[in-house]
Amino acid sequence: MPTVELQIADRARKFKGEALHNLHHFIDAQMMRESYKKLNKKSAVGIDGKTWQQYGLEFPERCESLLEDFKSGRYRAPAIRRVYIPKDKHGQRPLGIATIEDKVLQASVQKVIEPIFEEDFKPFSYGFRPGRSQHQAIEYMFKQVSFQGMHYIIDADLKNYFGSINHGILREFLDKRVKDGVIRRMIDKWLKAGVMESGNISYPSEGTQQGSIVSPILSNIYLHYVLDEWFSELRRDKSVRWGRKGDQLNLMKHLLVSLQVTNPVRKGLATHWKRTLHSCQKWQHEA
């Protein structure tokens, strides 16, 4: 982990459970240059039509003014270009393609907020996290089933998760750990950024743009408070194990669990899992 991220992580540990201020000063011209260099050089172009190489010709002169625009609040998040890729045999997944310049800022902001929430994220969360992978999540589940007596694995995928995140609730979750005005203002601009599709621009009232650099960390923050903390409480029951790979959920169980919840989001999931676990138990009995 680079020095800046280590400093931020150390501050997050020191002030565990508290909101941190004055974080934007970590973002400087050097960090932005590093962010630019680490971008995918072959990524698709945004609405300005500029490739990584083309933007790179103007970036040396633009860097300082971009930094000033970001910190002063003058920067306006451009609309993202929506494209679709195959999701399965019958569906398509929408992706939001930002401009290279916007990606530079997104990557820089991600470098600041990610170390903070990494101090809080649960060990059974694997998706979109540094140093973690889906292969590790599968290995974790394999060990739980092989050596911890888990008999069922319930696999669930949150439908249109990225596109349905409630902005107001996300802001409340961000308030718990990040209250730097510059960074929060920038995140709000990304949440409100327009979406260009077929020449028309729309402004969604919920969701984060899947495919953007900052979207994975925001989605993990949301699920951390909505689901992961809840399941940390359930883990006190040693017959329950929980794993998460981004928006894909896995509940491991060896006896039917009673899920007592009041949160509407959690209540819907609990009802679904109760029915699924009951079906598994019924199938095992009939077999």
Side-chain angles (χ1 to χ4, degrees), residues 186-200:
M186 190 67 252
I187 292 175
D188 271 350
K189 289 181 179 180
W190 285 322
L191 292 176
K192 297 175 182 177
V195 177
M196 178 172 285
E197 185 174 3
S198 301
N200 299 314

Side-chain angles (χ1 to χ4, degrees), residues 92-129:
Q92 290 185 314
R93 185 189 304 276
L95 292 182
I97 309 299
T99 64
I100 299 299
E101 181 167 276
D102 204 46
K103 289 179 180 179
V104 170
L105 281 180
Q106 288 191 34
S108 299
V109 168
Q110 179 197 33
K111 289 179 180 179
V112 171
I113 65 175
E114 188 172 66
I116 299 171
F117 287 96
E118 275 295 319
E119 293 299 316
D120 300 337
F121 287 161
K122 303 301 181 181
F124 50 77
S125 170
Y126 290 89
F128 309 118
R129 293 183 60 188

Side-chain angles (χ1 to χ4, degrees), residues 48 88 95 107 166 170 176 184 199 202 213 256 259 262 286:
D48 61 357
D88 48 41
L95 292 182
N166 183 292
L170 175 59
K176 294 177 180 290
R184 291 296 302 277
S202 61
I213 291 176
L256 183 62
L259 304 177
T262 57
E286 292 176 348

